[in-house]
């Protein structure tokens, strides 16, 4: 069957990038599930931002990730329920909420930095290693490679090589 998004080229670039992103996140989620990590792959960037930048107001956290504040607010609520982040009121402005990693969140990020993130990064790097040429061709190659070997399987292969 014809891949309409692919055949429409630059007209549907955003949709193709979204499709690739969704597949990468789904594959990453399978890696996390195998490792018994109980958060969504889409929540790791928020934890990584807090690890890298320290405690931040919700608005600045959203800005650091380049996503809308309501999405960050929802993610923060969920991560708070899971005990991975803590929210406190700002000392200088009671309307501002400051988000920070909890001790459990710090432990999860430390484990992820050691055991999960390198595996995912290596799998994505391997997926894209020899791409060159026009962007649409590269996207087609990425889509074809993900269809042939999803990222989670690539991550497992990378782990087996390291072990």
């Amino acid at each position: 069957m014809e891949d309409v998004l692919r055949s429409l080229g630059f007209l549907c670039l955003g949709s193709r990038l979204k499709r690739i992103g969704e597949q990468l996140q789904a594959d990453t989620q399978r890696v996390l599930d195998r490792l018994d990590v109980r958060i969504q792959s889409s929540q790791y960037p928020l934890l990584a931002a807090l690890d890298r930048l320290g405690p931040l107001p919700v608005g600045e956290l959203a800005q650091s990730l380049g996503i809308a504040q309501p999405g960050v607010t929802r993610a923060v609520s969920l991560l708070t329920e899971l005990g991975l982040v803590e929210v406190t009121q700002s000392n200088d402005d009671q309307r501002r909420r400051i988000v920070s990693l909890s001790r459990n969140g710090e432990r999860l990020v430390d484990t992820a930095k050691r055991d999960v993130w390198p595996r995912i990064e290596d799998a994505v790097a391997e997926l894209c290693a020899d791409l060159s040429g026009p962007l649409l061709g590269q996207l087609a190659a990425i889509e074809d490679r993900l269809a042939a070997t999803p990222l989670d399987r690539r991550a497992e292969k990378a782990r087996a090589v390291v072990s």
Side-chain angles (χ1 to χ4, degrees):
M1 174 170 290
E2 177 186 14
D3 183 337
V4 175
L5 293 182
R6 190 179 284 198
S7 68
L8 290 173
F10 285 110
L11 177 63
C12 292
L13 179 60
S15 296
R16 284 184 76 186
L17 292 171
K18 181 178 179 186
R19 178 171 71 185
I20 290 170
E22 288 172 350
Q23 182 167 2
L24 290 172
Q25 279 193 330
D27 290 351
T28 298
Q29 190 61 53
R30 283 192 291 278
V31 172
L32 297 176
D33 292 346
R34 286 184 192 129
L35 296 171
D36 202 29
V37 177
R38 300 180 193 267
I39 68 166
Q40 297 299 308
S41 61
S42 61
Q43 296 166 331
Y44 263 116
L46 190 146
L47 296 175
L50 292 172
D51 177 63
R52 178 174 239 153
L53 303 174
L56 290 172
V58 172
E60 289 179 28
L61 183 55
Q63 184 179 8
S64 75
L65 296 169
I67 59 177
Q69 189 165 331
V72 170
T73 299
R74 283 190 299 276
V76 165
S77 293
L78 182 69
L79 292 170
T80 300
E81 289 176 24
L82 294 172
L84 299 173
V85 300
E86 298 170 344
V87 179
T88 57
Q89 300 296 334
S90 170
N91 291 334
D92 57 328
D93 183 349
Q94 292 299 307
R95 296 170 295 176
R96 286 175 40 135
R97 299 177 336 139
I98 308 297
V99 183
S100 60
L101 289 173
S102 67
R103 287 195 193 278
N104 285 338
E106 289 172 354
R107 280 193 288 275
L108 178 64
V109 169
D110 288 344
T111 299
K113 286 177 5 184
R114 184 186 65 242
D115 300 331
V116 180
W117 295 351
R119 199 178 294 183
I120 300 300
E121 185 173 10
D122 290 348
V124 174
E126 185 268 331
L127 173 70
C128 301
D130 63 347
L131 292 177
S132 64
L135 176 62
L136 293 180
Q138 291 179 32
L139 292 177
I142 290 170
E143 290 167 330
D144 292 344
R145 290 173 184 186
L146 284 172
T149 309
L151 193 69
D152 60 311
R153 288 195 6 229
R154 291 172 185 275
E156 287 302 312
K157 285 192 331 191
R159 179 178 172 231
V161 169
V162 172
S163 297

